[in-house]
Amino acid sequence: MNSQKSILISLLLSGLALPGRACDICGCFMGITPYDNQSGFSLMHRYRIFNGYQALGQSPQFFPAGARPFFPSPLNGDNGYAHSHHGEPTDFEAFRVIELRGKYFLSQRVELNAFVPYMMNTSQINGRQLNSAGVGDVTVFTGYHLIRAIETAGVQSRLIVGGGLKLPIGEYTRQNAQGQRYPLLNQVGTGTTDGFVYANYIGSFHSFGLSVNSSYRRSTENTFRNSLAPSTATYASLFYRVPLGENWQVYPSAQFFYEKTKGEMLDGQLTGEHAMNNALLGPGLDVYYKNFSLNTSFQLPIYTATTDHPASAGRMVVSVGYSFKQTKYLLHGKS
């Protein structure tokens, strides 16, 4: 049982597919659920980078000059930034999130989740850089475990369906010294209330496992009649369990992520800004000691649709967490 708990908590914490910042920047980011009703909390850092203009033959770089993967310097600052792309190879957009995540099972089949992000966004265009940091939009959602088949002849499977809201907590009205509001994705919040639904299937056979999570999101307009177009995201992870003694377990994995959105909208019309149609692939490695976890993943693009913006160059996730098994529930008492 512990092995399967760890498998799915690893996916939860390296998480790739529903509210947060995406498609990482458009609000579809979510993790998945452990087999054995493990409540807990985690602290996750995500780094997503865009750079290089495909139409000009520029190759994307995961660590372009000036793009710090963990913390920008300064956290907030504008040295004459103007949002106007002219094909400069040093241009990049970096989105970093430190996110506190909590999960609590209300019953054996009903879970409640909350994500509180601290956003750190950087956009560099034509040598001028804008940094924006602060508490972002909070996400709350519930999931129902429709299928909960645990340890049947070495085969386990679970299907979770659910939905929730991204709430407009983060600031979205920041402006420059001339009183011009920064673009939507340079804000730490969106000012929109987003609704989303998702389905997550998880299956394993002995030490091998597969998880597939797909989501769909729609948003309202903010007070500027600004919003993001509907988006979809799909995450798949193929993993393998390597037990190391009584308390240690290691899970190498191959992780795939696909995102699609038509981008930013204004007055109900597409602006052509930040449309995305990307697929990424890369390794993950999760390490567990008793109830503690360290989760990592690293992905590079395998397909990027051409736009006039910097291209998707990859993503990185690092997370630490603690989980605990529940024996009592608010809705149904003891298990």
Side-chain angles (χ1 to χ4, degrees), residues 144-160:
Y144 180 74
H145 294 226
L146 194 63
I147 297 175
R148 188 173 179 271
I150 300 176
E151 290 194 13
T152 303
V155 177
Q156 301 193 25
S157 62
R158 174 156 298 205
L159 176 64
I160 307 107

Side-chain angles (χ1 to χ4, degrees), residues 4-331:
Q4 303 305 331
K5 290 187 291 187
S6 296
I7 287 175
L8 296 160
I9 298 168
S10 80
L11 296 173
L12 167 67
L13 297 178
S14 62
L16 302 169
L18 223 119
R21 260 281 191 198
C23 340
D24 281 320
I25 60 173
C26 69
C28 284
F29 186 97
M30 195 189 78
I32 28 202
T33 313
Y35 275 99
D36 191 18
N37 289 43
Q38 288 276 309
S39 295
F41 55 88
S42 64
L43 189 65
M44 174 185 289
H45 176 81
R46 302 197 307 274
Y47 167 75
R48 185 70 192 274
I49 185 71
F50 297 80
N51 79 301
Y53 294 92
Q54 287 181 304
L56 299 178
Q58 298 174 8
S59 299
Q61 299 180 30
F62 195 78
F63 297 115
R68 302 178 178 217
F70 292 99
F71 299 97
S73 180
L75 286 175
N76 292 284
D78 178 353
N79 65 355
Y81 172 86
H83 190 80
S84 179
H85 298 277
H86 296 296
E88 174 62 42
T90 60
D91 290 358
F92 69 84
E93 295 171 340
F95 299 91
R96 312 167 196 83
V97 185
I98 295 178
E99 191 167 66
L100 179 63
R101 296 183 159 201
K103 175 189 292 289
Y104 182 76
F105 277 86
L106 300 175
S107 72
Q108 282 191 330
R109 290 185 180 267
V110 179
E111 58 175 82
L112 177 65
N113 298 263
F115 299 165
V116 181
Y118 185 82
M119 316 299 298
M120 295 171 288
N121 304 330
T122 300
S123 180
Q124 179 172 296
I125 298 178
N126 304 318
R128 303 290 185 176
Q129 193 171 105
L130 170 65
N131 290 307
S132 301
V135 176
D137 296 338
V138 172
T139 296
V140 292
F141 65 97
T142 59
Y144 180 74
H145 294 226
L146 194 63
I147 297 175
R148 188 173 179 271
I150 300 176
E151 290 194 13
T152 303
V155 177
Q156 301 193 25
S157 62
R158 174 156 298 205
L159 176 64
I160 307 107
V161 295
L165 296 172
K166 180 190 70 63
L167 304 174
I169 304 300
E171 186 181 0
Y172 67 100
T173 59
R174 295 187 182 185
Q175 56 188 28
N176 62 20
Q178 289 73 44
Q180 297 175 318
R181 179 172 170 261
Y182 292 126
L184 180 63
L185 294 183
N186 296 125
Q187 306 283 345
V188 297
T190 63
T192 66
T193 300
D194 298 5
F196 60 88
V197 293
Y198 72 97
N200 176 210
Y201 175 77
I202 311 159
S204 68
F205 178 71
H206 297 299
S207 294
F208 288 94
L210 174 68
S211 175
V212 180
N213 189 331
S214 292
S215 64
Y216 175 78
R217 180 198 62 83
R218 295 186 68 95
S219 76
T220 63
E221 293 181 342
N222 60 27
T223 56
F224 299 96
R225 296 210 62 195
N226 204 194
S227 65
L228 289 164
S231 64
T232 59
T234 297
Y235 163 68
S237 176
L238 180 65
F239 52 88
Y240 182 79
R241 182 179 71 92
V242 181
L244 299 176
E246 183 178 351
N247 297 320
W248 291 88
Q249 297 183 68
V250 175
Y251 294 85
S253 60
Q255 301 181 359
F256 171 81
F257 183 55
Y258 175 74
E259 58 192 349
K260 185 175 183 179
T261 177
K262 293 183 179 180
E264 191 173 346
M265 301 184 72
L266 183 64
D267 295 328
Q269 302 295 319
L270 291 169
T271 66
E273 297 285 318
H274 300 288
M276 291 197 296
N277 185 4
N278 303 317
L280 300 95
L281 181 68
L285 182 65
D286 306 319
V287 180
Y288 293 88
Y289 175 72
K290 295 183 178 179
N291 294 77
F292 296 93
S293 60
L294 170 66
N295 310 89
T296 63
S297 66
F298 178 85
Q299 298 164 346
L300 295 174
I302 56 174
Y303 171 76
T304 303
T306 301
T307 70
D308 59 357
H309 281 63
S312 173
R315 69 197 307 274
M316 178 177 68
V317 178
V318 179
S319 176
V320 292
Y322 178 82
S323 62
F324 55 93
K325 182 178 179 180
Q326 287 182 237
T327 57
K328 295 182 179 180
Y329 302 96
L330 291 178
L331 298 184

